[in-house]
Amino acid sequence: MMEIEMPKIHPSQQDIDLIDILWRQDIDLGAGREVFDYCQRQKEHELQQQREQEEDKRLQQQREQEKALLAQLQLDEETGEFVPRLATSGQPLQTATSAAPSQVIQTTSSCLDAVVALAPNSSHIMMKSDPPALTQLPLLTAPLPSQRTSPDLEQAWMELLSLPELQQCLNMQMEDTREQTGGYLPTNTTPEVQDPNYSFYPLPNLAEVASNTADVCPPEFINTFEESFPNIAPLDHLNQMTLKAPDLNTHFSADTFCDIFYPDVVHTKVTSVTLPCGQGNGGNSLAEIPNKPTFTPMELQDLSPGDTFDRDNKPEIMTECPDSDSGVSVEASSYSSSPEKSMYGDRSFGGYSDSDMDEMDSNPGSAQSDYSEMFSLSFQPDGLQTPLSVLPQQRDKEPKHAKTEPDDETGHSESPFTKDKKRRRSEKRLSRDEQRAKALQIPFTVDMIIDLPVDDFNEMMSKHQLNEAQLALVRDIRRRGKNKVAAQNCRKRKMENITELEYDLDSLKEEKERLQTEKTKNDSSLRKMKQQLNTLYLEVFGLLRDEEGKPYSPLEYSLQQTTDGTVFLVPRIKKTLSKKKDS
DNA sequence: CTTCAATGTCATTCC
DNA sequence: AAGGAATGACATTGA
């Protein structure tokens, strides 16, 4: 898999990087790493640091620009777009409620920074993300380090976080959780107020993560890492070692995310499961990754800031969230006048509805190809309902913009995974709404929802207490189900009509042919009869004699027959004379 | 990569 | 008025 192209007199950058990788993987190179041009590496390191400083400056400027932009924009509730803020309208986007604990505010601001840092075009980042979404972040960010795909990945993030249904569902679960726990979260009652606290949950990029981890990871590891991925994209040969990036992130993610998201609140919980970032030997973990995904589902849950909200009391939240993003329809968003709708309401932002969510089910994005392989061991098609179960959906989001399916192109044609994927696809195709219903824990089967008569349906609904999102989903499922059948019938009818019309057309063609044949026969017959008549006429005319016994001239006389069958010999002259008189 | 058929979905109209 | 059928239009998906 790895191709080592060593034999050059002066090792190139790629060679050095490759040596680094090998070294960190504890692969015996037969000599110390310094042997492979230590001085050059020092220079490179200095250059790298210089570059980083410039990059930091740039990021700083970008953050300021973003903040300025935020201050000037206002959310359009109807279109879900940001529009230039009017002087007197609306609340400041970043208004923190008085009820919000200080650490939440702190989280928000730090998150903003992190988000801004993440996204080069970070205006896109101004999407909503409700707190439960945080539960997804570590796991979803796991593949982040493979930053050569960062544009795709960022886009995937944008899309994921922008999903109205995701927001809606998560938001509702947030509310449920808050009700049960009386949690520490801000007790906002209006979406507008809620927005600022939930709007910016960061997706730390690699650089950010690395810097944040500096206090727990040995500097040399960081340096090594930074050197190894100085400009990650160009390292093509690293593409064949895709395993490393996720691992790096797994090491960073625990503390990093906690620090960024919940500097105070979450830390205690997370540290109990913090991955051994501080061990300092990145090489070992790098080498382990391909065979041993660092994140197990449980770990992912533990690392999820979101479960801080109430992990103990409502573990099912975790199982619900992954799918719940797909469970809420556009209408759900609109019904609840949720902040998400105002952010990306209706279809203005690509029209993400529950159907859009489903698309994620079957289309792994390019950015996650490595990712899917990484988690192929722990991934359950739909069974575990661990946070990982969000993966297929998230991955499905991709193809809209990255229509390739790198999973099939990675060269890892491991049949089990491929088969599993195909199987999941077919399952997904059969049970889209079922997955949604499952995600929102709808207590009915989709068939019941669709097929029951209205009265029975209403009765069934009245027997269960469903929240708004569930109701909306049930309505959507029923509407879609009915419409799906209607569409099938319609197409069937259309096809039948077409078939019938084609049959009619054939019949008419045959009829036409038959009539033409008949016409030809009749014409022929008519011609024959005319001929016979003419012959008969001449014969009869030839037999006629005048008083002197001479035959009548055909020029002067003609035979004419009246309606009663009597035949007269009529002189033609009179006829011509009368004609002259008329004229 | 393009094309095409099948299918799902949405919007709209009508009953 | 609500629910559903019908259907055109569009998007997605897989071959």
Side-chain angles (χ1 to χ4, degrees):
Chain A
M1 181 171 172
M2 286 190 298
E3 297 175 4
I4 303 178
E5 302 172 354
M6 291 303 292
K8 289 180 183 174
I9 298 177
H10 300 292
S12 66
Q13 177 63 40
Q14 286 194 351
D15 294 330
I16 296 297
D17 292 330
L18 185 52
I19 291 166
D20 251 333
I21 300 298
L22 295 172
W23 176 79
R24 286 188 289 107
Q25 288 186 301
D26 277 351
I27 293 176
D28 187 5
L29 300 177
R33 191 167 62 107
E34 309 79 29
V35 177
F36 299 95
D37 197 349
Y38 177 78
C39 292
Q40 184 179 343
R41 296 203 58 76
Q42 269 196 328
K43 288 179 186 174
E44 289 170 358
H45 186 203
E46 290 173 3
L47 283 173
Q48 177 68 24
Q49 283 181 331
Q50 202 172 346
R51 263 179 276 163
E52 283 172 1
Q53 286 177 352
E54 291 173 359
E55 180 70 7
D56 283 345
K57 280 183 185 176
R58 196 180 58 79
L59 286 175
Q60 187 67 29
Q61 287 179 342
Q62 209 166 13
R63 286 178 210 171
E64 290 172 2
Q65 287 176 355
E66 288 300 329
K67 285 177 182 173
L69 183 62
L70 277 176
Q72 293 173 1
L73 292 180
Q74 183 186 11
L75 180 63
D76 187 323
E77 292 284 341
E78 294 194 358
T79 64
E81 298 172 349
F82 280 101
V83 298
R85 181 184 297 279
L86 298 178
T88 58
S89 65
Q91 300 178 347
L93 199 62
Q94 296 245 29
T95 302
T97 65
S98 56
S102 59
Q103 63 258 37
V104 175
I105 300 174
Q106 192 178 351
T107 299
T108 304
S109 60
S110 67
C111 291
L112 172 60
D113 289 345
V115 169
V116 172
L118 168 69
N121 47 353
S122 43
S123 60
H124 295 168
I125 283 298
M126 302 197 24
M127 55 186 61
K128 249 198 70 58
S129 171
D130 288 327
L134 289 175
T135 63
Q136 318 285 328
L137 287 178
L139 111 93
L140 292 174
T141 321
L144 258 183
S146 56
Q147 283 205 337
R148 61 185 183 280
T149 60
S150 59
D152 290 338
L153 199 52
E154 285 172 14
Q155 197 163 19
W157 266 106
M158 309 289 179
E159 295 170 354
L160 182 68
L161 292 182
S162 68
L163 296 172
E165 296 136 325
L166 173 65
Q167 311 293 343
Q168 166 71 13
C169 172
L170 295 176
N171 191 31
M172 302 205 68
Q173 294 180 355
M174 247 304 290
E175 290 170 0
D176 292 344
T177 306
R178 226 181 297 144
E179 288 172 6
Q180 294 191 9
T181 62
Y184 74 93
L185 287 167
T187 56
N188 304 328
T189 53
T190 64
E192 290 76 11
V193 178
Q194 214 171 2
D195 255 342
N197 287 323
Y198 299 158
S199 292
F200 305 99
Y201 285 95
L203 318 173
N205 68 353
L206 193 56
E208 190 85 1
V209 169
S211 62
N212 287 338
T213 322
D215 54 343
V216 288
C217 293
E220 63 179 73
F221 172 73
I222 299 295
N223 293 339
T224 303
F225 167 75
E226 290 169 353
E227 291 169 4
S228 301
F229 301 87
N231 191 7
I232 294 166
L235 297 179
D236 290 335
H237 60 284
L238 284 181
N239 291 347
Q240 301 171 1
M241 305 179 207
T242 56
L243 37 125
K244 284 156 195 82
D247 176 61
L248 289 169
N249 203 50
T250 58
H251 282 268
F252 292 133
S253 59
D255 281 335
T256 306
F257 279 111
C258 298
D259 289 341
I260 293 173
F261 294 150
Y262 302 99
D264 299 320
V265 185
V266 196
H267 207 70
T268 52
K269 286 203 173 190
V270 178
T271 49
S272 63
V273 294
T274 297
L275 296 173
C277 178
Q279 286 178 352
N281 190 349
N284 286 338
S285 50
L286 282 171
E288 289 168 7
I289 277 308
N291 300 326
K292 181 183 163 190
T294 306
F295 277 130
T296 66
M298 284 308 296
E299 284 170 326
L300 287 165
Q301 290 189 25
D302 291 339
L303 291 174
S304 302
D307 53 4
T308 305
F309 300 133
D310 192 357
R311 190 176 63 192
D312 297 329
N313 294 342
K314 278 196 86 179
E316 66 272 19
I317 289 180
M318 292 304 299
T319 69
E320 184 176 336
C321 282
D323 288 335
S324 62
D325 54 358
S326 67
V328 188
S329 68
V330 174
E331 290 175 17
S333 299
S334 58
Y335 293 154
S336 61
S337 68
S338 64
E340 305 79 49
K341 191 210 175 218
S342 60
M343 293 292 287
Y344 296 105
D346 296 332
R347 328 188 75 72
S348 59
F349 189 77
Y352 294 145
S353 67
D354 35 8
S355 61
D356 297 309
M357 298 301 303
D358 298 318
E359 289 151 14
M360 306 195 309
D361 286 343
S362 60
N363 300 287
S366 58
Q368 272 105 359
S369 57
D370 299 338
Y371 184 41
S372 59
E373 291 183 17
M374 275 283 298
F375 291 93
S376 59
L377 291 178
S378 55
F379 177 77
Q380 301 292 328
D382 70 334
L384 278 186
Q385 292 201 350
T386 66
L388 282 177
S389 61
V390 77
L391 294 183
Q393 295 186 349
Q394 187 217 358
R395 291 162 55 204
D396 289 346
K397 202 71 228 169
E398 293 292 319
K400 274 192 169 179
H401 304 276
K403 298 212 169 182
T404 58
E405 292 194 338
D407 278 346
D408 300 332
E409 301 167 359
T410 53
H412 304 276
S413 55
E414 296 172 16
S415 56
F417 181 77
T418 308
K419 280 183 183 175
D420 185 61
K421 195 174 69 174
K422 286 179 179 174
R423 188 171 57 82
R424 277 193 293 113
R425 283 184 180 174
S426 59
E427 283 176 359
K428 180 219 75 174
R429 213 182 318 170
L430 293 175
S431 60
R432 280 183 167 184
D433 275 336
E434 284 174 350
Q435 285 184 352
R436 297 175 185 135
K438 190 178 177 183
L440 282 196
Q441 298 178 336
I442 304 293
F444 326 117
T445 67
V446 170
D447 288 341
M448 288 168 65
I449 294 173
I450 297 173
D451 296 334
L452 280 181
V454 181
D455 292 341
D456 295 344
F457 174 74
N458 289 333
E459 187 182 346
M460 180 181 76
M461 294 288 281
S462 64
K463 288 178 180 174
H464 292 79
Q465 280 279 340
L466 301 180
N467 63 33
E468 200 170 352
Q470 288 175 318
L471 286 173
L473 177 60
V474 169
R475 278 194 294 265
D476 275 353
I477 289 174
R478 186 169 173 89
R479 177 176 51 77
R480 273 194 294 264
K482 295 281 187 188
N483 188 244
K484 190 192 294 184
V485 175
Q488 287 168 351
N489 291 335
C490 183
R491 284 168 176 144
K492 190 179 169 186
R493 250 191 319 273
K494 186 186 281 183
M495 292 305 296
E496 286 173 353
N497 284 338
I498 290 174
T499 304
E500 190 176 344
L501 288 174
E502 285 175 345
Y503 177 80
D504 289 348
L505 183 62
D506 287 343
S507 300
L508 291 174
K509 280 179 180 176
E510 287 178 7
E511 175 83 0
K512 182 185 174 187
E513 256 177 60
R514 189 181 58 79
L515 291 174
Q516 276 182 335
T517 306
E518 191 176 328
K519 178 176 180 291
T520 306
K521 277 184 185 174
N522 289 337
D523 286 344
S524 174
S525 175
L526 181 62
R527 242 191 335 269
K528 199 182 272 182
M529 289 176 71
K530 279 183 177 177
Q531 255 180 342
Q532 289 175 348
L533 180 62
N534 193 41
T535 305
L536 182 62
Y537 178 89
L538 292 177
E539 185 180 337
V540 170
F541 194 83
L543 294 176
L544 295 177
R545 295 288 183 272
D546 60 8
E547 298 166 351
E548 300 173 359
K550 295 177 181 177
Y552 290 100
S553 169
L555 298 176
E556 295 175 2
Y557 296 91
S558 68
L559 289 174
Q560 292 186 6
Q561 186 177 28
T562 61
T563 54
D564 62 356
T566 310
V567 175
F568 293 94
L569 181 67
V570 181
R572 289 182 187 272
I573 298 171
K574 284 186 179 178
K575 198 174 177 182
T576 55
L577 284 178
S578 63
K579 275 186 182 177
K580 284 180 182 176
K581 283 182 181 176
D582 291 339
S583 63

